[in-house]
């Protein structure tokens, strides 16, 4: 290689470095656009203009999602904490990341995460694309640097070929990794539960008598008061308001909180100890519960609410409006079992090609 | 162009984004130690006595626990309200006796040992408990069910806290005298207790025979008050001689 050729190659390389973080024409999907079909009970999926899902980006994202090379020590894939067999959660109180390190919060389900306006328990990512980038680099989660990750992926001919098809570029960059995984995650929709067939589908036999009682308690502001945050709308239900609330989880002896939640992002006092309302869809599959995984069962969660949680200066006032009898708690648990939906197709590990 | 591929790829491979998040901080504070009163053991005396209830005893009230089967299982057979316990000799249990006046101007160090309230068998044990201002109160749940203890304080800070089966004890303190703080469980509506918070160590809860003892008092004249959940309070004056014992009895009569 001549000196001038080397120089021009370096300039091109440096330019490539500079565009690595931003979205640009070269990171746009080029394949056939896929219309994501939405199950009963869910609204249309929000799609960002610069990452319209294509068959190719979804396939690439699915492969990346299940690839342990996304972690420093090749032990963790996205699926390690978001296991399709466990409702895209991990069944642990706190997740285990690279080098056996424990995380600090409970892994939320990825099912229907595409609808959330903000991602993570503290809402620190405003899109799936932004969300995807963080666990990959988090020292307690996957802990892999972009340079190392891209080296691993771009030295694999399969990824290079998939990247070419998905984005028309020869090598993956981080934006393309994030976009592809997000495109796959937008297909992880779950609806058409017994509740959906009852409430939106008009099938009055879809829920049991106990579940129907539970639904009424769920919506009654003077009993369960659940729907005040776990929203049910006229034509669809996400079972979350997408907002942040303090339930008193993690209150210590002096009423301080072990985790300040949303406050860490906004610095606003009223956000202290508030966390994103999780969806209740598939909640029966995603024990344990709460941001710290401190409640082992749905029954324990009902007891926690029935007792009005733990007092602290920022407790959501809606907590104290709850009044539940033992029968009510049992009916609510039955109702929540009726929120287990159909699982998305082609969401498991891709078969070897 | 082929030859430039490895170099380009290495440069490209190194392209990436960085993200960071900031954890919360912590703060510390220090408190000056007040000038505590020292009791002279050579002259300290004791008040002892008893609390009695005579006349028609209130009818036993049954407690309905069917709302929580685990609580039914923890109590064999019928369960009765335990807020008025009188023994065969009219001794009244769970009366709270404390020095209401006579200690003005003296500040006492909070007792070092914690007092414990246990949620056991879907009851609070003890049902009536005294604690000094600043003394540690340990709240224990030894039941296989979740409780939510709720001291409905008016002078002190009101709080409630959930404790599931096997959860560790909770440690709390009260900062001001308050006689009495009613305590309930937010989950089991029959569970009640009372906490007397006193700004000195001279208080006692009557035993099952109605007896009580308040030791280690500086000699002097004091007003004692007795409180019981279902009865009007009574007061009596008593003089404690140096290194001596003073006796005092409280008698309640049914209306």
């Amino acid at each position: 290689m001549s000196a001038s050729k080397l120089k021009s190659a370096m300039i091109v390389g440096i330019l490539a470095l500079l565009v690595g973080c931003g979205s640009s024409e070269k990171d746009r999907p080029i394949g056939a656009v896929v219309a994501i079909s939405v199950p009963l009970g869910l609204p249309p999926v929000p799609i960002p203009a610069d990452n319209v899902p294509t068959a190719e980006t979804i396939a690439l994202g699915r492969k990346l999602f299940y690839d342990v090379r996304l972690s420093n020590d090749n032990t963790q894939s996205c699926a390690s904490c978001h296991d399709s067999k466990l409702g895209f959660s991990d069944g642990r109180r706190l997740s285990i990341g690279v080098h056996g390190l424990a995380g600090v919060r409970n892994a939320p389900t990825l099912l229907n995460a595409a609808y959330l306006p903000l991602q993570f328990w503290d809402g620190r990512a405003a899109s799936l694309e932004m969300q995807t980038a963080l666990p990959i680099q988090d020292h307690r989660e996957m802990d892999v640097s972009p340079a190392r990750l891209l080296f691993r992926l771009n030295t694999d001919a399969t990824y290079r070929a998939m990247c070419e098809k998905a984005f028309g570029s020869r090598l993956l960059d981080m934006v393309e990794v994030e976009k592809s995984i997000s495109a796959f995650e937008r297909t992880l929709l779950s609806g058409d539960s017994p509740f959906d067939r009852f409430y939106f589908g008009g099938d009055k036999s879809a829920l049991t008598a106990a579940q129907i009682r539970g639904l009424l308690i769920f919506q009654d502001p003077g009993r369960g008061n659940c729907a005040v945050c776990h929203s049910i709308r006229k034509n669809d239900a996400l079972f979350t308001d997408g907002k942040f609330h303090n339930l008193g989880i993690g209150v210590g002896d002096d009423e301080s909180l072990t985790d300040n939640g949303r406050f860490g992002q906004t610095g606003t006092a009223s956000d202290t100890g508030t966390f994103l309302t999780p969806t209740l869809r598939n909640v029966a599959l995603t024990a344990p519960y709460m941001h710290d995984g401190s409640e082992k069962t749905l029954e324990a969660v009902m007891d926690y609410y029935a007792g009005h949680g733990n007092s602290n200066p920022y407790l959501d006032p809606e907590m104290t409006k709850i009044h539940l009898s033992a029968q009510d708690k049992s009916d609510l648990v039955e109702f929540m079992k009726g929120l287990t939906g159909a699982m998305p197709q082609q969401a498991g590990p891709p078969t070897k090609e | 162009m082929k030859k430039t591929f490895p170099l380009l790829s290495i440069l490209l491979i190194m392209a990436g984004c960085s993200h960071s998040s900031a954890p919360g901080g912590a703060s510390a504070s220090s408190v000056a130690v007040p000038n505590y009163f020292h009791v002279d053991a050579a002259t300290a005396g004791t008040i002892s006595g008893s609390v009695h209830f005579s006349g028609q005893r209130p009818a036993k009230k049954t407690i309905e626990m069917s709302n929580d089967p685990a609580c039914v299982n923890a109590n064999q057979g019928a369960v009765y309200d335990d807020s008025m316990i009188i023994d065969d000799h009219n001794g009244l249990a769970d009366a709270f006796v404390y020095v209401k006046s006579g200690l003005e101007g003296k500040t006492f160090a909070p007792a070092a040992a914690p007092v414990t309230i246990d949620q056991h068998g879907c009851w609070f044990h003890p049902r009536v408990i005294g604690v000094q201002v600043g003394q540690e109160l340990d709240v224990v749940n030894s039941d296989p069910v979740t409780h939510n203890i709720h001291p409905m304080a008016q002078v002190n800070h009101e709080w409630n806290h959930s404790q599931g089966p096997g959860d560790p004890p909770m440690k709390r303190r009260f900062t001001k005298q308050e006689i009495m703080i009613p305590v309930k469980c937010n989950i089991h509506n029959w569970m009640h207790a009372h906490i007397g918070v006193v700004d000195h160590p001279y208080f006692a809860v009557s035993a099952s025979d109605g007896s009580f003892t308040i030791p280690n008092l500086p000699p002097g004249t004091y007003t004692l008050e007795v409180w019981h959940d279902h009865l009007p309070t009574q007061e009596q004056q008593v003089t404690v001689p140096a290194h001596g014992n003073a006796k005092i009895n409280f008698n309640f009569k049914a209306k």
Side-chain angles (χ1 to χ4, degrees), chain A residues 83-134:
Chain A
D83 186 338
S84 59
K85 293 190 282 297
L86 297 169
F88 287 88
S89 185
D90 64 1
R92 294 176 183 274
R93 178 172 181 172
L94 303 172
S95 300
I96 306 292
V98 287
H99 319 302
L101 286 170
V104 294
R105 292 181 187 146
N106 180 258
T109 180
L110 290 183
L111 292 167
N112 305 324
Y115 294 103
L116 296 172
L118 295 169
Q119 303 288 334
F120 293 112
W121 282 106
D122 60 7
R124 67 187 183 277
S127 66
L128 278 178
E129 283 77 5
M130 286 172 68
Q131 184 279 329
T132 307
L134 300 187

Side-chain angles (χ1 to χ4, degrees), chain B residues 155-168:
Chain B
V155 178
N156 285 280
H157 171 61
E158 183 179 0
W159 52 267
N160 69 285
H161 201 91
S162 174
Q163 276 180 304
D167 280 0

